[in-house]
Amino acid sequence: MRRTAVALTLLAALSCGSFAGSQAVSAASASAGGGVGGGGRGTNILVVGIDSRAGLSAAEKRRLHVGGKGCNCTDVMMLVHLSQNRRRASIVSIPRDSYVEYAATTATATAPARSGKINGAYALGGGPLTVATVEKATGLRIDHYLETGFTGFEQTVDNLGGATVCTDRPLKDENSGLDIGAGRHLADGNRALRYVRARHVNLRPGDLGRVRRQQRVVDDLLARLTAEGALAGPISTARTVRTLLKTVRTDARTGLDDLVRIGWALGRLRADRTEFATVPIRLFDHRVPGVGSTLVWDEARSAALWAALGADRPITGDTRIQPAAENPAPADPARIAVRVDDAEAAAALRGSGFLVTDTSATAPAVRPSGSPVIRYATGQEDNAATVAAALPGSRLQVDPELDAVVEVTVGSRPVQVRSVTFDRNVADGAPVTAERLRCAEAPAAAGAARPGSAVEPSGRR
């Protein structure tokens, strides 16, 4: 299964249950009690998707645009916290390459602690070690564990009538086969799979952007099921189980009644009471011999995140989790090429980290009136917005003749250059409520379109 399977599994898992496996909750969880209606502060559910191509034919791999070998490790991991009063849900994605210390097993109890990517815990000890490792890394008790394989994702999306995907610009990734235009689309299972697993898109590549798309699909599916009344009560939620539980396995402690109650609670949540976030990262390419490139959590921010969940508090708006920058930027200045026709402004922007080419030698003798003009090509909106943040009061203009370089024409007014702060955690993983992720149109609108077709473009990604 690929990163995308969890997007659906999460929804399936929270709406229903399955008794197909005994993947096990850790001993710490078992002794702590908890669960729906149990002790403790809220309920924590760990949902994982396993990277395995086992059983896939060559034709299926081609159709799904899947290559390579599975690693028998967790490819997607989401920790879902449902508040004690059932009025708030916080869904936190844990990137698979997170570098953590594994929990000990019976066989390794006396051995030195071992560290690696968090997705490797499954290969070493299956569900039980995965749960124990997450508990060790976060300090949280896991009450329920749910796991999905790969092949069910496409079928489940199709059974639900498609999944809503949206983007404010075209997205293309040759590796996953994703190729969609700007707007809002009702995608079939195959297309949704490509949308959620793409990591080489032409926007911001990597896992964090992909995780955000996974969160968006989960949110839109949950919103649509709620709008259609599929989670309106115990009977309708149990009926939804028959459609969704085919691809989900649970631990032995998680019963159908538990998951129906969780799904029913989620169906009554307002969008501003459903939160999504990704664990804050400090190092995005931490190289470890024998392990490879890993992600290192920001110690202070991640500790604040787990503390908030442990205390059953909201995670949105908490500046300990995501400090508010004085002048935030949506893109990394170090990756933005800028042509500037004023030597002083060029030097100042270069000092702020931009890749600057000074074109002042060919600047007009008489400056145009007003503030600086920033011209950019379609698809370069984040880069242009970052340059604009560094040049307060500047004017933005789309220029289809330009390439990936942003051009700055300085006007007659004095130029002020401000330092900007780019934080990938803010750009791709900051805690947000569901309405910030959701496609602009009502969820029911997606059901009116044929899967794979475009719906009216959304003004929000």
Side-chain angles (χ1 to χ4, degrees):
M1 173 214 119
R2 64 207 39 177
R3 288 177 170 62
T4 142
V6 151
L8 215 359
T9 301
L10 174 61
L11 186 57
L14 296 179
S15 304
C16 60
S18 167
F19 304 97
S22 179
Q23 295 301 324
V25 170
S26 71
S29 297
S31 63
V36 177
R41 297 195 173 193
T43 302
N44 295 316
I45 309 124
L46 184 65
V47 183
V48 304
I50 308 305
D51 182 358
S52 173
R53 273 62 163 187
L56 283 181
S57 67
E60 286 175 318
K61 290 180 181 180
R62 287 193 299 271
R63 178 173 54 80
L64 297 173
H65 219 85
V66 223
K69 297 181 180 179
C71 62
N72 192 37
C73 59
T74 53
D75 202 31
V76 184
M77 185 178 290
M78 289 183 176
L79 194 158
V80 183
H81 175 82
L82 184 62
S83 67
Q84 184 70 19
N85 62 11
R86 302 296 183 262
R87 295 179 181 176
R88 184 182 65 257
S90 304
I91 301 169
V92 179
S93 295
I94 302 176
R96 65 170 191 164
D97 291 339
S98 298
Y99 189 61
V100 299
E101 187 175 280
Y102 297 138
T105 64
T106 303
T108 63
T110 59
R114 178 176 177 182
S115 296
K117 297 180 181 181
I118 200 166
N119 68 342
Y122 188 89
L124 295 173
L129 186 60
T130 297
V131 168
T133 296
V134 171
E135 290 183 326
K136 182 175 183 178
T138 66
L140 298 173
R141 179 198 67 221
I142 301 301
D143 302 301
H144 300 289
Y145 171 83
L146 301 103
E147 171 190 312
T148 186
F150 170 71
T151 56
F153 177 81
E154 182 185 33
Q155 179 183 354
T156 306
V157 172
D158 289 337
N159 289 343
L160 288 172
T164 303
V165 301
C166 54
T167 174
D168 60 4
R169 68 201 70 186
L171 293 178
K172 188 172 184 178
D173 176 20
E174 293 183 1
N175 285 21
S176 72
L178 176 67
D179 189 1
I180 62 172
R184 185 173 186 266
H185 308 267
L186 182 63
D188 61 14
N190 187 290
R191 204 178 187 196
L193 181 71
R194 300 180 184 203
Y195 173 82
V196 188
R197 68 176 287 260
R199 65 178 306 198
H200 300 285
V201 294
N202 50 314
L203 184 56
R204 283 187 293 268
D207 280 342
L208 265 65
R210 171 171 47 186
V211 164
R212 203 49 131 186
R213 290 193 300 276
Q214 294 167 2
Q215 294 171 354
R216 181 169 292 113
V217 168
V218 168
D219 176 53
D220 281 327
L221 285 169
L222 181 59
R224 185 147 55 86
L225 287 182
T226 300
E228 293 171 354
L231 304 176
I235 295 177
S236 59
T237 303
R239 187 179 301 119
T240 304
V241 166
R242 290 193 290 270
T243 303
L244 299 177
L245 61 66
K246 296 178 182 179
T247 61
V248 180
R249 297 193 295 174
T250 73
D251 65 283
R253 295 177 61 249
T254 302
L256 179 62
D257 54 343
D258 297 317
L259 294 172
V260 168
R261 283 198 294 267
I262 293 172
W264 185 17
L266 288 171
R268 290 178 290 172
L269 288 178
R270 303 197 317 247
D272 63 349
R273 294 297 185 92
T274 305
E275 309 173 306
F276 291 86
T278 303
V279 181
I281 305 298
R282 178 171 61 85
L283 298 176
F284 285 88
D285 186 20
H286 178 59
R287 300 280 173 164
V288 180
V291 178
S293 177
T294 69
L295 300 173
V296 176
W297 294 352
D298 184 293
E299 290 84 354
R301 294 186 190 185
S302 61
L305 172 64
W306 308 132
L309 295 180
D312 206 22
R313 298 194 310 265
I315 59 176
T316 50
D318 190 332
T319 56
R320 292 168 298 181
I321 299 172
Q322 212 60 272
E326 182 178 347
N327 192 22
D332 186 356
R335 296 179 179 271
I336 302 175
V338 188
R339 288 195 287 260
V340 187
D341 69 352
D342 178 86
E344 186 176 343
L349 286 171
R350 187 178 294 112
S352 294
F354 292 89
L355 301 174
V356 177
T357 299
D358 184 347
T359 61
S360 59
T362 59
V366 179
R367 293 287 180 181
S369 62
S371 55
V373 174
I374 299 172
R375 295 188 300 121
Y376 62 96
T378 301
Q380 297 294 313
E381 289 82 5
D382 282 353
N383 287 352
T386 300
V387 177
L391 298 172
S394 55
R395 296 166 286 171
L396 291 167
Q397 292 182 2
V398 178
D399 187 341
E401 300 297 322
L402 287 178
D403 49 18
V405 176
V406 178
E407 289 199 348
V408 176
T409 301
V410 173
S412 57
R413 294 181 184 174
V415 178
Q416 176 189 6
V417 178
R418 295 183 60 194
S419 295
V420 298
T421 299
F422 169 70
D423 187 338
R424 282 189 62 185
N425 295 293
V426 173
D428 291 318
V432 294
T433 51
E435 74 269 16
R436 293 283 303 278
L437 290 180
R438 190 163 298 169
C439 298
E441 291 79 9
R450 176 177 53 84
S453 65
V455 186
E456 287 297 319
S458 165
R460 181 186 305 147
R461 260 186 13 247

